[in-house]
Amino acid sequence: MSASKENLDSQAKDPAVDTSEQLEVNEGEASPEAVEAQEQIEAEKDWATLLSEAEAKIAQYHEELLRARAETENIRRRAQEDVAKARKFGTESFAESLIPVRDSLEAALALSDQTAEAWREGVEATLRQVNTAFERNLLREVAPAAGEKFDPHHHQAISTVPSEHPEGTVAQMLQKGYTIADRVLRPALVMVSSGQAG
C-alpha cells in the first residue's frame, strides 16, 4: 500500500483529524448559497465595524465642537468684560493727571489779593501741570507753522488765501489740533496758501 492511500485510510478511520488538504476539499465542496451567506455575514461585519467607527468619530467631533463653541463663548465674554473695564477705567489715568490742575485753579481763585504778576505765574504753573497731564496720557499738540505742508490727516482747511508761501502749504494756523496715541482728536484749523497773488 502506498503512503498516500494509507493517509486517506487513516483520515477515514479518524474523522476528528482534519488537515488543510481536507479543508480545501471541503471548501471546494461548499454550496454557492453557503459561500454567498458567508460573504454576506462578513460584509455585514465590515459594515457594522465601519458604522461603529464612524459613530465614534462623530461623537468625538461633536464633543470637540461643543468644547470649541464653549471656548469661543468664553473668549467673547472675556473680551466684552475687558472692553467694559477699559471704557470704565480708561479715563482714570487722565482724570488723575487733571486733579492737580483743578486744585491749582481752585487755590488761585481762593486768593483775593493778587497782583497781575502773581496771577500770571499761577496760570503758567497750571499750564505746565496741564502739559504734564497731556504728556503722561500721550496727548500731543498739532501746531503747524506757516509754510509747513498741509496734511489733511492732521489739519482742517478753513479757506485758501494768497500768501508768500508756496501753494498747498499752511499760510496761517487759527487753532491748534491734538492727537492721542497717533489718533486725531481735533485737527488743527488752518488757512492754506494758494500761492502768491498774481
Side-chain angles (χ1 to χ4, degrees):
M1 208 192 257
S2 68
S4 60
K5 194 168 185 181
E6 286 177 9
N7 192 13
L8 287 175
D9 288 340
S10 65
Q11 287 175 5
K13 290 178 188 172
D14 188 7
V17 176
D18 197 7
T19 65
S20 60
E21 289 177 9
Q22 188 177 3
L23 282 175
E24 288 175 10
V25 171
N26 288 342
E27 285 177 2
E29 293 174 1
S31 70
E33 293 84 17
V35 170
E36 189 177 321
Q38 183 64 30
E39 287 175 356
Q40 188 175 358
I41 290 171
E42 288 176 11
E44 287 174 3
K45 285 181 183 176
D46 289 343
W47 283 112
T49 303
L50 288 173
L51 180 63
S52 65
E53 287 174 359
E55 287 173 342
K57 282 195 175 192
I58 289 170
Q60 176 189 350
Y61 293 151
H62 186 260
E63 185 178 329
E64 289 174 3
L65 173 68
L66 291 177
R67 286 183 183 176
R69 195 179 284 170
E71 183 63 25
T72 303
E73 183 62 27
N74 289 340
I75 289 169
R76 187 189 61 75
R77 189 174 30 78
R78 275 188 239 123
Q80 284 179 335
E81 290 172 1
D82 290 346
V83 168
K85 286 179 185 176
R87 284 187 185 140
K88 186 175 181 181
F89 301 112
T91 58
E92 183 177 359
S93 173
F94 192 65
E96 285 176 358
S97 300
L98 291 179
I99 291 172
V101 175
R102 182 182 173 123
D103 293 341
S104 295
L105 291 172
E106 287 176 344
L109 290 173
L111 298 173
S112 57
D113 273 345
Q114 287 194 38
T115 64
E117 186 61 33
W119 267 95
R120 181 173 179 81
E121 288 175 9
V123 169
E124 287 174 350
T126 304
L127 182 59
R128 283 192 299 271
Q129 288 177 326
V130 170
N131 288 337
T132 301
F134 282 10
E135 287 173 13
R136 277 184 57 195
N137 293 282
L138 305 175
L139 193 64
R140 304 272 186 262
E141 202 174 79
V142 177
E148 190 175 312
K149 186 171 176 8
F150 175 75
D151 179 359
H153 300 292
H154 292 97
H155 308 151
Q156 181 176 345
I158 298 301
S159 66
T160 58
V161 293
S163 74
E164 69 273 6
H165 301 291
E167 184 179 352
T169 60
V170 174
Q172 181 183 356
M173 181 186 66
L174 303 173
Q175 185 181 58
K176 292 179 183 178
Y178 292 93
T179 61
I180 186 164
D182 298 325
R183 182 177 178 185
V184 176
L185 287 178
R186 182 180 81 187
L189 297 181
V190 298
M191 296 177 79
V192 179
S193 174
S194 60
Q196 295 186 354

